[in-house]
């Protein structure tokens, strides 16, 4: 396995900020635009991007630290679709990238889900063909007589200046397009059904194929807060309320897992408040990893008590 830390000139304890800084420097140095046709630089560039794609991602970095190899296949490396690079440098792209957040539940992330999206996208205004105004209703600029510029000076020395009156257009807009209100662009809501595969990672960007629009669209997966389960990376924490008698006597319990499964577990007798029961491999799954579930016992004391129960407790105290 390659040493990504070495490739980026950082070490295992480096912060994300340090990694970013180092990556930026190296990527600038070896970017193919600056090293036209240099195969060595190109390879180096791929290598540092590969390293950065792993070390900049908390989950992937941890997996890598634990000896897990999930690098991008070098042969299929495609610069045009490389998100991280575009994110950092904001290079000019053919299409504007638009990212929409999509919230899904933890269960949906584990089982897979299809969602219908209604995406607002920019499209060239069909009425004015993107110009933003009605050409027929515009009038010729009287200052430049429609040329858009003015020539000043004499036959020896001439200066051509953009017309201040029409800003070089040669005409004055009298009527903005009523469809796009002069912007030249309209928002169109496009329906799209997206299928999210099971075990999707939070933060994953899924490209949507939408033709004919000015933007390329990505869906950013976000996990909703769960009513019972708190997540920490792939692990799940569950504050489990249990009455004091069951804590003392011990018992068996059943809860619903994230994958529509039943989880059975035993609470040992004489358990104490905040005792933790580990249930392996019942946390979140990703394509390559499995988290655990931690059940934290929380004792509940009764709000009401019957005379009979009270009597028994008094008897218990005397024992
Ligand atoms: Zn003019
Ligand atoms: Zn228009």
């Amino acid at each position: 396995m390659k040493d990504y830390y070495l490739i980026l000139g950082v070490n295992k304890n480096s912060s994300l900020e340090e990694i970013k800084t180092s990556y930026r420097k190296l990527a600038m140095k070896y970017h193919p635009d600056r090293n036209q046709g240099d195969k060595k630089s190109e390879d180096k560039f791929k290598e540092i991007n590969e390293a950065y794609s792993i070390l900049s991602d908390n989950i992937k970095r941890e997996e890598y630290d634990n000896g897990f190899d999930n690098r991008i296949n070098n042969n299929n490396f495609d610069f045009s679709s490389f998100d991280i690079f575009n994110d950092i440098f904001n290079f000019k792209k053919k299409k504007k990238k638009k990212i929409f957040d999509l919230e899904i539940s933890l269960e949906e992330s584990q089982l897979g889900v299809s969602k219908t999206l209604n995406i607002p996208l920019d499209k060239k205004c069909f009425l004015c063909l993107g110009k933003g105004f009605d050409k027929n209703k515009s009038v010729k600029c009287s200052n430049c007589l429609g040329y858009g510029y003015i020539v000043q000076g004499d036959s020896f020395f001439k200066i051509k200046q953009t017309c201040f009156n029409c800003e070089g257009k040669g005409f004055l807009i009298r009527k903005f397009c009523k469809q796009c209100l002069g912007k030249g662009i309209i928002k169109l809501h496009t329906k799209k059904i997206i299928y999210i595969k099971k075990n999707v990672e939070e933060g994953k960007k899924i490209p949507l194929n939408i033709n004919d629009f000015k933007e390329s669209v990505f869906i950013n997966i976000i996990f909703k807060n769960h009513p019972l389960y708190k997540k920490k990376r792939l692990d799940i924490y569950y504050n489990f309320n249990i009455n004091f008698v069951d804590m003392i006597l011990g018992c068996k319990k059943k809860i619903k897992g994230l994958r529509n499964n039943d989880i059975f577990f035993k609470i040992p007798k004489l358990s104490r408040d905040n005792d933790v029961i580990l249930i392996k491999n019942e946390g979140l799954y990703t394509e390559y990893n499995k988290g655990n579930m931690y059940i934290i016992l929380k004792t509940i004391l009764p709000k009401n008590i019957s005379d009979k129960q009270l009597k028994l407790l008094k008897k218990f105290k005397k024992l």
Side-chain angles (χ1 to χ4, degrees):
M1 207 154 71
K2 286 183 191 172
D3 187 342
Y4 290 143
Y5 291 100
L6 193 72
I7 289 167
L8 287 186
V10 292
N11 63 56
K12 279 209 162 182
N13 300 318
S14 294
S15 68
L16 183 61
E17 225 25 71
E18 288 167 336
I19 288 169
K20 262 190 194 167
T21 310
S22 184
Y23 165 72
R24 211 174 281 137
K25 260 190 225 149
L26 290 167
M28 285 294 226
K29 189 171 165 194
Y30 292 107
H31 190 268
D33 284 353
R34 293 186 159 199
N35 303 278
Q36 299 264 326
D38 180 358
K39 184 81 177 74
K40 261 192 187 156
S41 300
E42 197 191 309
D43 290 345
K44 185 85 187 147
F45 184 70
K46 283 177 186 172
E47 207 179 22
I48 54 180
N49 276 302
E50 188 186 288
Y52 182 71
S53 75
I54 303 296
L55 297 187
S56 62
D57 182 311
N58 275 342
I59 295 173
K60 284 184 187 159
R61 183 177 177 181
E62 201 189 4
E63 286 170 355
Y64 172 77
D65 287 344
N66 291 329
F68 185 76
D69 188 356
N70 59 0
R71 68 195 132 135
I72 313 155
N73 184 346
N74 235 341
N75 300 327
N76 296 330
F77 201 88
D78 177 9
F79 290 115
S80 63
S81 66
F82 202 60
D83 290 348
I84 303 160
F85 197 75
N86 288 332
D87 284 344
I88 289 215
F89 292 96
N90 274 326
F91 274 147
K92 270 188 189 162
K93 287 153 273 168
K94 265 188 229 142
K95 278 192 167 191
K96 216 162 72 187
K97 195 163 92 181
K98 231 174 190 176
I99 299 174
F100 293 93
D101 290 342
L102 176 65
E103 275 197 329
I104 60 172
S105 69
L106 295 185
E107 282 88 351
E108 286 171 337
S109 80
Q110 296 302 290
L111 298 168
V113 63
S114 65
K115 295 268 179 190
T116 306
L117 309 169
N118 205 4
I119 306 165
L121 288 177
D122 288 350
K123 196 166 187 175
K124 196 200 266 186
C125 175
F126 55 85
L127 200 65
C128 63
L129 303 174
K131 285 197 289 288
F133 53 86
D134 188 342
K135 185 84 202 277
N136 298 328
K137 296 263 163 55
S138 60
V139 290
K140 197 193 261 185
C141 175
S142 57
N143 191 46
C144 62
L145 305 173
Y147 290 106
Y149 57 85
I150 293 167
V151 180
Q152 284 175 329
D154 51 37
S155 52
F156 297 105
F157 188 71
K158 284 194 175 81
I159 312 171
K160 202 162 140 182
Q161 272 185 319
T162 304
C163 173
F164 67 89
N165 194 35
C166 61
E167 289 165 334
K169 285 192 291 292
F171 55 87
L172 298 170
I173 297 167
R174 282 278 173 263
K175 207 174 168 204
F176 284 103
C177 172
K178 60 179 186 289
Q179 186 68 38
C180 61
L181 305 173
K183 288 197 279 290
I185 281 169
I186 47 166
K187 283 248 177 286
L188 264 196
H189 282 260
T190 310
K191 249 204 182 122
K192 192 90 189 166
I193 294 169
I194 176 174
Y195 181 71
I196 296 149
K197 280 196 268 183
K198 70 172 189 177
N199 300 340
V200 67
E201 275 177 53
E202 188 168 30
K204 188 177 171 72
K205 312 271 184 295
I206 301 171
L208 277 190
N209 280 326
I210 297 180
N211 299 325
D212 202 24
F213 279 89
K214 286 176 167 292
E215 301 132 308
S216 60
V217 179
F218 290 81
I219 297 301
N220 178 36
I221 297 294
I222 292 178
F223 290 175
K224 270 186 225 163
N225 285 334
H226 194 277
L228 301 174
Y229 303 150
K230 293 260 167 302
K231 70 170 172 58
K232 204 171 171 190
R233 292 199 175 179
L234 297 181
D235 292 332
I236 294 292
Y237 292 80
Y238 181 17
N239 281 341
F240 192 74
N241 292 333
I242 180 156
N243 74 65
F244 75 105
V245 181
D246 280 343
M247 286 289 266
I248 295 168
L249 299 178
C251 61
K252 279 180 182 159
K253 291 281 171 187
K254 183 181 96 172
I255 54 170
K256 258 277 158 287
L258 289 169
R259 286 159 291 275
N260 213 5
N261 54 327
D262 289 329
I263 300 171
F264 297 91
F265 62 98
K266 221 177 109 182
I267 295 171
K269 74 174 182 192
L270 294 178
S271 284
R272 312 190 76 84
D273 206 31
N274 293 322
D275 276 359
V276 178
I277 296 171
L278 164 66
I279 301 174
K280 283 213 152 180
N281 295 337
E282 286 296 352
L284 290 165
Y285 291 7
T286 62
E287 212 177 328
Y288 306 105
N289 260 336
K290 288 176 178 176
N292 296 322
M293 182 180 270
Y294 296 90
I295 292 177
I296 304 150
L297 301 180
K298 296 287 177 190
T299 318
I300 320 183
L301 296 171
K303 288 209 171 85
N304 303 302
I305 192 160
S306 68
D307 291 344
K308 206 172 165 187
Q309 286 169 324
L310 210 56
K311 248 181 225 168
L312 280 169
L313 275 178
K314 279 179 181 164
K315 218 166 155 186
F316 173 81
K317 201 181 167 185
K318 278 185 205 147
L319 280 173

